[in-house]
């Protein structure tokens, strides 16, 4: 870790540590006179994390190369970090992006302005939470479905709904093998999510999905994919997906669907974009 990185990590942790009242964790401030630092002490964090004395000091000083994610999670919880601060802690500590969300509630809501952003899209667009529950969508997305009846959970619809298997043309080869890995990856990041776990059970109980599950490994997002689709109003064609993640909601996702009718792919030969 560079000298600058160590200084950043130390400043970040000291500031967050100073905001935590020790009394909230059952500690009583000493009564003797003299200057006392604000917030939790390093020793108190060692006590709370049940680690040997000096463990937290190694983290805050930047001398601990690659601290384990579970320890960083314990520290983040004690310091009441939010998801953005949790990401910052992991990066400053040298382990890269977090191994998973800090709390089960993360990725379950997005700022309300996302609805306005979706409404400004001419292409079908929607936002789901980390469990693929539909949060928001625009009118063009609703037009994809018969009677504009949008699915409550897009992952369940893609994998298990009979209508989904009809609309997602060539479902068995063009969709299921590429969608199931997304569910597997989400379960790895959120093993205790009840919605994802129920989806897993239903997938394994399904005679069409279950045989594909074991080989569903590497394709963990659809960004840039072009697949065949039966549009409820515009008929057969191809849809290209642009996927992104609302940064305030790790695990949530925005999908923009660019649909072109006809038998031929529209974006198969589209070049990649680079800064010039």
């Amino acid at each position: 870790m560079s000298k600058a990185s160590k200084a950043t990590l130390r400043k970040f942790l000291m500031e967050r540590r100073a905001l935590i009242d020790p009394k909230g964790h059952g500690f009583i401030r000493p009564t003797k006179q003299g200057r006392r630092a604000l917030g939790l002490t390093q020793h108190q964090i060692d006590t709370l994390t049940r680690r040997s004395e000096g463990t937290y000091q190694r983290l805050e000083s930047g001398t601990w190369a690659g601290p384990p994610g579970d320890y960083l999670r314990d520290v983040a919880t004690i310091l009441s970090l939010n998801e953005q601060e949790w990401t910052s802690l992991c990066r400053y500590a040298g382990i890269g992006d977090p191994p998973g969300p800090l709390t089960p509630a993360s990725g379950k809501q997005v700022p309300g302005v996302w609805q306005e952003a979706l409404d400004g899209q001419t292409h079908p667009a929607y936002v789901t939470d980390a469990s693929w529950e539909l949060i928001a969508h625009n009118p063009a997305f609703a037009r994809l479905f018969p009677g504009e009846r949008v699915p409550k959970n897009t992952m369940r619809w893609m994998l298990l709904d009979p209508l989904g298997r009809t609309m997602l043309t060539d479902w068995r080869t063009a969709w299921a093998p590429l969608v199931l890995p997304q569910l597997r990856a989400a379960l790895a990041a959120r093993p205790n999510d009840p919605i994802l776990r129920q989806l897993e059970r239903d997938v394994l109980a399904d005679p069409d999905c279950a045989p594909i599950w074991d080989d569903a490994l590497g394709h963990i997002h659809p960004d840039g994919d072009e697949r065949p689709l039966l549009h409820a109003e515009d008929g057969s064609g191809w849809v290209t997906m642009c996927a992104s993640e609302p940064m305030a909601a790790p695990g949530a996702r925005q999908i923009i669907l660019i649909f072109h009718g006809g038998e031929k792919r529209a974006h198969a030969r589209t070049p990649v974009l680079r800064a010039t």
Side-chain angles (χ1 to χ4, degrees):
M1 185 182 296
S2 68
K3 185 177 180 180
S5 297
K6 289 181 179 180
T8 300
L9 176 62
R10 182 172 182 270
K11 184 175 186 294
F12 174 74
L13 286 173
M14 288 181 65
E15 288 180 352
R16 296 307 184 274
R17 184 160 55 87
L19 297 175
I20 306 302
D21 186 353
K23 295 180 181 178
H25 290 280
F27 296 109
I28 300 174
R29 286 189 177 278
T31 57
K32 64 182 181 180
Q33 297 298 315
R35 180 179 177 272
R36 296 192 299 270
L38 296 175
L40 288 168
T41 67
Q42 293 181 349
H43 175 69
Q44 287 168 342
I45 292 183
D46 285 337
T47 300
L48 291 170
T49 57
R50 299 180 181 178
R51 298 288 182 125
S52 59
E53 187 171 355
T55 299
Y56 176 78
Q57 190 278 332
R58 290 175 58 209
L59 174 65
E60 191 170 288
S61 66
T63 60
W64 193 350
D70 59 345
Y71 177 71
L72 292 178
R73 185 185 299 277
D74 289 343
V75 171
T77 302
I78 291 168
L79 298 183
S80 299
L81 301 188
N82 60 33
E83 288 294 335
Q84 292 190 51
E85 292 167 337
W86 165 230
T87 299
S88 296
L89 172 61
C90 291
R91 291 181 180 180
Y92 295 156
I95 71 166
D97 285 338
L102 182 58
T103 69
S106 68
K108 297 295 184 175
Q109 59 186 23
V110 299
V113 70
W114 272 97
Q115 182 63 65
E116 187 173 346
L118 294 175
D119 289 340
Q121 288 280 351
T122 57
H123 297 292
Y126 65 98
V127 172
T128 62
D129 69 13
S131 306
W132 279 278
E133 297 282 281
L134 187 66
I135 293 178
H137 66 278
N138 65 2
F141 178 72
R143 286 185 60 246
L144 287 170
F145 304 92
E148 299 190 354
R149 294 186 296 273
V150 299
K152 178 183 178 183
N153 185 289
T154 58
M155 176 60 71
R156 177 171 292 280
W157 181 84
M158 287 187 290
L159 292 176
L160 299 166
D161 192 300
L163 177 61
R165 296 182 182 185
T166 299
M167 290 180 59
L168 304 179
T169 312
D170 197 11
W171 176 87
R172 195 175 297 274
T173 57
W175 287 89
L178 302 179
V179 174
L180 282 166
Q182 297 176 53
L183 175 59
R184 187 186 285 275
L187 282 163
R190 297 170 179 267
N192 298 316
D193 186 304
I195 296 175
L196 296 180
R197 281 298 171 201
Q198 185 60 54
L199 274 168
E200 180 189 33
R201 288 191 290 270
D202 293 343
V203 160
L204 293 176
D206 182 83
D208 295 310
C209 285
I212 305 173
W213 177 254
D214 287 341
D215 294 325
L217 301 175
H219 200 90
I220 64 172
H221 68 74
D223 192 32
D225 286 358
E226 186 175 26
R227 302 176 196 164
L229 177 77
L230 178 62
H231 194 296
E233 296 184 15
D234 298 337
S236 297
W238 293 83
V239 64
T240 304
M241 288 159 278
C242 297
S244 61
E245 179 179 277
M247 298 187 74
R253 56 194 65 79
Q254 179 202 211
I255 308 292
I256 300 172
L257 303 170
I258 303 176
F259 178 80
H260 290 276
E263 296 182 0
K264 294 184 179 180
R265 294 173 180 262
H267 296 109
R269 299 182 183 277
T270 302
V272 298
L273 300 176
R274 294 185 178 91
T276 58

